Amino acid sequence: MSVESKKTREACCSKLKLFLVSLAFVYFAKAFGGSYMKSSITQIERRFDIPSSLIGVIDGSFEMGNLLVIAFVSYFGAKLHRPRLIGIGCLIMATGCFISALPHFLQGLYKYETSMSHNTQVNITENILPCLSNHSLSEKDDDIPDVAAVKACEKAAGSSMWIYVFLGNMLRGVGETPIMPLGISYLDDFSRHENTPFYLAIIHTTGILGPMFGFMMGSFLAKIYVDIGFVDLDTITITYKDSRWVGAWWLGFIAAGAVILLSSIPFFFLPKSLPKQGEEDGSDKSTELATGPEQEGFLPDETQDGDEKEKTVTFREMVKDFIPSLRRLFRNSIYSMMILTYLVVVNGFIGMITFKPKFMEQIYGQAASRAIFLIGIMNLPAVALGIITGGVVLKRFNLGIVGAARVSFAASLGSFSLLLLQGFFHCDNAEVAGLTVAYQGYQQVSYDPSTLLAPCNTGCSCSLKHWDPVCTYNGITYASPCLAGCQTSTGTGKAMVFHNCTCVGALMTPAANMSAVLGQCPRKSDCDFKFKIYMALTVMGAFISACGGTPGYIVLLRSIQPDLKSLALGMQTLIVRTLGGIPPPIYFGALIDRTCLKWGTKQCGGRGACRLYDSNAFRMTFLGMITGLYFLANVLWGVLYVKIVKREKKLALRNQAKDNGVDGNAPSKGHANISIGKNKEENKESSI
């Protein structure tokens, strides 16, 4: 090899490695921003006082952005400057993140819901009388609201500012569109095919670090009050464990936008194309985009023509070829089956990851910040380890399509088994008087639990709309100090204590402790043990499921023809994100809303975010839907595996007859070792 060709090879290798590093970093950046959005779902829901179904629409706006441009970007982008398009996409994503943070600077300070005017003056000595005071916030339920006043209040409170988050998230979806289809196809086109699984594992493992940092930052910011720097924190009477607490959600979007902006820079300095890895001396340009034996053996290019690939394709020709290319793509039954399987899996996964922090908060009594932290520090590293393990297994045992499909199917079955076990480890409902348990001492008295009223508090003229929980010494939570029948109070801020609570002492002696403190009571001691078992099961399930990620992706890549690769990956993203990304947060959220026991009240009146769920109904709804979807996914994986094995055997027999039994008799590790002469014959997908 000459000195000039050696220098060319080194330059090309360095550019390919630069692209690999840049793509890995942009996967980290986009995952960082996306996971932070997921971790902030609860904070956004509380800040704008919206139900879970609407927060599902906001979360799904990312996929809506993808839907707008994915088909065109995937098809036309493959013919254009792919690295530059990825860089432009990153700039759009960063803009979306900054727009999402905008509402914080446009609306007023956060005013959390309370049943009474808590004293905000630290040094004041006057006691608050919860039961006996004239409650200015205790409107009658049948009061007719002043429409003009409500509109003025909503305008001042910025109640529609969630639209900025919706639009910003949609813009983030538009910007992310080029990254996966153009980035993966660019890497697969110019790297050795035996290195592709390892490169994919590196990219996806680096990408998993993004959610780890995103969830950890979400956990950290969830403990910081939303208006930090603008209010005196000593006057705040709630803690980060309260269901009304809102963290500094806006700070994370600014940080995510800055990281994504930084990741865009290298792509503007990369070339449109590179010589294929191992062929940098240009001795065999005709095979630049050809596949290895495994790709050819599974799905040969039915219209392969070396002369056509050297032609300059015009825009009009690209448009004219779009529909025929789609037709060719979806006639591939393996590809179509893979799309359907991914669609079901993604429905379950998106629904699970969107509402998992809320699930941990409501079922196991965990604070939102701790739930987010545990997902980031335990589940996501397990996923990263699983992804890299799957890639190493593929490379170590040189598995082909059948072997990769077998690994993916086994991983899917294993994770599904652990998912079934999770339903057996759960905590009981939180004990809230009038909602989940009866008022003590009045079990035999006829009353409507939905009104939260009992004889011990009927004389207090309590508001039934607001959620301002207090915890008594016996572990029972009351919706407000007034509904607990508390007569007096001492202290200020978070240290406020309420005394002589008549509902608490209904069965007690006069000397009993009849006081209450702010906040909801913690769960029973055995709940913590059950939560640890639940987390162990989810971590093991995440690892096993991720082990099938890279093999499943290889099955997808090897099932499509080289010239359709970008289009196939783009259509997969379009279909899966449209039907698997947009609907799940909406229908999961709508069904979860049906399990709400106590709705909050907006600042301007009307129903706000849910404060307390029926944990048993929540668990059965949440886990039941995920289990059903994953069961269907396993059935589809089984059908797909059988289909792949049959077609691989059929292709092996066909080539055995064609090559006089020379190449078809040596089974390889996980698949038949098949060699097909290039340009010998035009094969159709139906004959594989």
Side-chain angles (χ1 to χ4, degrees), residues 11-274:
C12 292
C13 285
S14 63
K15 288 178 181 178
L16 183 64
K17 290 176 182 176
L18 174 61
F19 182 82
L20 176 63
V21 172
S22 302
L23 190 63
F25 182 55
V26 82
Y27 260 68
F28 167 85
K30 75 181 184 68
F32 177 69
S35 61
Y36 180 74
M37 176 67 194
K38 292 289 185 186
S39 71
S40 300
I41 287 293
T42 302
Q43 310 302 322
I44 295 171
E45 179 181 350
R46 294 173 181 174
R47 180 62 183 94
F48 300 104
D49 261 326
I50 52 180
S52 297
S53 54
L54 183 53
I55 202 69
V57 174
I58 295 174
D59 186 61
S61 64
F62 176 86
E63 317 300 344
M64 297 175 194
N66 264 268
L67 173 62
L68 294 175
V69 294
I70 182 64
F72 299 102
V73 167
S74 300
Y75 183 70
F76 297 114
K79 320 287 184 181
L80 303 174
H81 198 300
R82 286 180 280 185
R84 196 167 295 165
L85 286 177
I86 294 173
I88 294 171
C90 291
L91 295 179
I92 296 174
M93 273 199 298
T95 304
C97 288
F98 295 139
I99 290 176
S100 295
L102 201 56
H104 176 74
F105 303 97
L106 299 179
Q107 63 185 154
L109 299 178
Y110 173 58
K111 296 180 180 179
Y112 54 88
E113 173 190 4
T114 178
S115 64
M116 52 189 288
S117 298
H118 286 310
N119 214 325
T120 59
Q121 300 179 27
V122 178
N123 297 323
I124 199 160
T125 58
E126 179 186 356
N127 290 340
I128 295 175
L129 308 177
C131 181
L132 301 178
S133 62
N134 182 16
H135 298 284
S136 60
L137 296 179
S138 302
E139 307 92 349
K140 294 181 180 180
D141 294 338
D142 57 353
D143 281 350
I144 299 175
D146 185 339
V147 177
V150 169
K151 287 185 177 180
C153 176
E154 288 179 349
K155 185 176 180 180
S159 59
S160 298
M161 288 291 181
W162 58 266
I163 294 175
Y164 284 94
V165 184
F166 177 89
L167 293 176
N169 203 35
M170 179 180 285
L171 203 59
R172 205 169 54 80
V174 171
E176 198 200 6
T177 304
I179 295 174
M180 195 280 288
L182 302 187
I184 297 299
S185 63
Y186 187 93
L187 186 68
D188 195 48
D189 284 345
F190 304 120
S191 64
R192 293 181 186 272
H193 280 280
E194 60 267 26
N195 291 336
T196 301
F198 183 65
Y199 289 162
L200 287 177
I202 290 176
I203 290 170
H204 288 295
T205 303
T206 307
I208 286 296
L209 296 176
M212 286 174 57
F213 282 89
F215 274 93
M216 289 174 67
M217 184 173 70
S219 173
F220 174 73
L221 294 178
K223 293 182 179 180
I224 299 176
Y225 191 65
V226 59
D227 293 319
I228 185 170
F230 297 94
V231 297
D232 182 2
L233 297 182
D234 291 332
T235 65
I236 305 301
T237 60
I238 57 176
T239 67
Y240 68 90
K241 296 180 180 180
D242 197 289
S243 60
R244 295 164 294 167
W245 175 274
V246 176
W249 59 276
W250 53 277
L251 274 173
F253 285 110
I254 295 176
V259 172
I260 294 172
L261 191 64
L262 182 64
S263 72
S264 69
I265 297 174
F267 292 99
F268 293 101
F269 300 95
L270 285 163
K272 181 179 180 181
S273 63
L274 293 170

Side-chain angles (χ1 to χ4, degrees), residues 409-430:
F409 185 32
S412 181
L413 283 174
S415 61
F416 178 71
S417 301
L418 292 175
L419 176 63
L420 292 176
L421 293 176
Q422 293 177 21
F424 295 100
F425 299 94
H426 60 87
C427 303
D428 296 329
N429 265 321

Side-chain angles (χ1 to χ4, degrees), residues 483-502:
L483 288 170
C486 300
Q487 307 296 317
T488 60
S489 69
T490 57
T492 57
K494 299 181 183 69
M496 191 179 295
V497 179
F498 302 91
H499 305 284
N500 300 324
C501 303
T502 57

Side-chain angles (χ1 to χ4, degrees), residues 53 89 110 198 254 276 284 347 363 419 422 437 478 509 627:
S53 54
Y110 173 58
F198 183 65
I254 295 176
K276 192 169 179 65
D284 191 7
N347 264 265
I363 306 301
L419 176 63
Q422 293 177 21
V437 296
Y478 293 83
T509 61
T627 303

Side-chain angles (χ1 to χ4, degrees), residues 325-380:
S325 296
L326 279 179
R327 193 178 296 116
R328 287 171 54 207
L329 181 63
F330 285 102
R331 273 204 291 255
N332 184 337
S333 59
I334 297 294
Y335 174 79
S336 300
M337 194 74 177
M338 284 290 296
I339 295 299
L340 181 60
T341 305
Y342 273 128
L343 184 60
V344 176
V345 171
V346 169
N347 264 265
F349 176 76
I350 294 295
M352 177 186 67
I353 198 65
T354 302
F355 295 105
K356 187 173 183 178
K358 184 188 289 284
F359 177 80
M360 295 165 67
E361 182 181 358
Q362 294 295 327
I363 306 301
Y364 300 99
Q366 302 296 313
S369 59
R370 186 165 189 259
I372 295 167
F373 176 77
L374 290 174
I375 292 173
I377 206 67
M378 296 182 69
N379 290 86
L380 295 179

Side-chain angles (χ1 to χ4, degrees), residues 424-600:
F424 295 100
F425 299 94
H426 60 87
C427 303
D428 296 329
N429 265 321
E431 295 184 336
V432 181
L435 291 174
T436 61
V437 296
Y439 279 85
Q440 290 194 5
Y442 299 100
Q443 288 89 339
Q444 305 302 320
V445 178
S446 176
Y447 72 98
D448 183 5
S450 65
T451 66
L452 298 171
L453 291 178
C456 61
N457 59 31
T458 51
C460 295
S461 301
C462 300
S463 168
L464 305 179
K465 294 181 179 180
H466 300 92
W467 177 256
D468 194 13
V470 292
C471 177
T472 59
Y473 79 99
N474 57 359
I476 302 294
T477 299
Y478 293 83
S480 70
C482 181
L483 288 170
C486 300
Q487 307 296 317
T488 60
S489 69
T490 57
T492 57
K494 299 181 183 69
M496 191 179 295
V497 179
F498 302 91
H499 305 284
N500 300 324
C501 303
T502 57
C503 292
V504 179
L507 282 179
M508 304 298 153
T509 61
N513 186 347
M514 296 170 60
S515 62
V517 295
L518 286 170
Q520 201 169 331
C521 294
R523 298 296 180 91
K524 295 178 180 178
S525 57
D526 65 333
C527 186
D528 188 55
F529 174 72
K530 292 177 180 178
F531 177 67
K532 291 177 181 177
I533 297 177
Y534 165 78
M535 285 303 301
L537 290 173
T538 60
V539 169
M540 289 188 292
F543 171 76
I544 295 174
S545 178
C547 284
T550 303
Y553 208 77
I554 290 299
V555 173
L556 179 67
L557 281 176
R558 297 297 180 254
S559 70
I560 51 184
Q561 300 167 15
D563 62 318
L564 296 178
K565 196 176 299 177
S566 291
L567 178 62
L569 293 176
M571 291 307 298
Q572 180 229 3
T573 304
L574 169 66
I575 295 170
V576 171
R577 284 190 166 174
T578 301
L579 300 178
I582 298 174
I586 299 173
Y587 66 75
F588 265 77
L591 291 173
I592 288 172
D593 280 341
R594 295 172 66 91
T595 68
C596 184
L597 291 175
K598 181 70 177 75
W599 290 96

